Amino acid sequence: MRALKNSGLNWMSSAAAAVMTPLRAPNSSGPGKGDESLATSGAGAAVRTDNPQLIELSKRVEYALNDEFSPRSVRLIVPSNSPRFIKREAKSVKRQVEIDRSVQVDAAIVRVMKRSGSMTLSDLLVATASELAALFVPDAKLVKSRLEHLIESEYLERDANDSALFKYVA
């Protein structure tokens, strides 16, 4: 144990105060030379006080560090970004991105078909990819599935003679 003589308690933080135990209170004849009216706050900073009894007590008591102290409770800080939470959030973000992209692909297909009136599948894939190049590179599978969706929604139709040719309806 280290014996520490406290002069004004301005060095001790609240955590240190929890593990410090008073050894003895030697007799003193009263306030000595250079008394300051300072006491500690919970954060260890000195604050001004006008209580002379506190100043007297702080100069009379010796403190020693209790090395055998162990707290009864342990405080754990759990980060809010646990791996399970991150995976769940990543799934929802990925799903939202897929929904947003499907709407953007629908809009690009409709814009391209409005301009041209009718196009083959390969030309439509190229035109849609160039339309969306600033945002993302669309997958051909996604474009085809959204094309089928637009056919079901009656925005587009297949040509009766050529199944690779699409016509704008709406």
Side-chain angles (χ1 to χ4, degrees):
M1 278 194 197
R2 287 184 294 168
L4 302 170
K5 182 159 182 161
N6 184 1
S7 60
L9 290 176
N10 59 355
W11 58 271
M12 190 183 313
S13 69
S14 60
V19 295
M20 300 299 282
T21 56
L23 289 177
R24 61 186 174 87
N27 293 335
S28 72
S29 60
K33 200 175 202 182
D35 282 339
E36 299 173 7
S37 56
L38 294 176
T40 59
S41 67
V47 294
R48 192 157 188 84
T49 182
D50 295 326
N51 188 347
Q53 292 176 342
L54 180 62
I55 296 169
E56 177 69 26
L57 179 65
S58 68
K59 293 187 184 255
R60 286 186 300 160
V61 178
E62 285 185 18
Y63 292 92
L65 187 62
N66 184 359
D67 292 330
E68 298 171 5
F69 175 78
S70 63
R72 291 185 179 156
S73 63
V74 178
R75 183 175 167 184
L76 296 176
I77 300 172
V78 179
S80 63
N81 294 338
S82 65
R84 193 178 313 162
F85 179 73
I86 291 173
K87 284 183 182 178
R88 196 175 337 145
E89 186 175 296
K91 270 187 181 176
S92 68
V93 168
K94 186 177 179 181
R95 179 72 183 133
Q96 187 62 41
V97 167
E98 289 173 0
I99 291 169
D100 291 345
R101 284 187 175 181
S102 66
V103 171
Q104 289 174 344
V105 169
D106 286 349
I109 291 171
V110 169
R111 282 193 302 266
V112 167
M113 291 303 288
K114 270 187 179 180
R115 272 182 279 179
S116 66
S118 65
M119 289 184 98
T120 62
L121 178 61
S122 59
D123 292 339
L124 186 58
L125 289 174
V126 170
T128 305
S130 66
E131 184 85 21
L132 295 170
L135 302 172
F136 64 96
V137 179
D139 186 28
K141 185 178 177 183
L142 174 64
V143 174
K144 287 178 184 178
S145 68
R146 298 317 299 171
L147 193 58
E148 291 300 322
H149 176 263
L150 289 172
I151 290 171
E152 289 173 5
S153 301
E154 299 181 354
Y155 283 95
L156 303 175
E157 67 179 6
R158 290 185 188 271
D159 187 40
N161 299 331
D162 187 10
S163 63
L165 187 66
F166 296 95
K167 293 182 182 178
Y168 181 68
V169 175

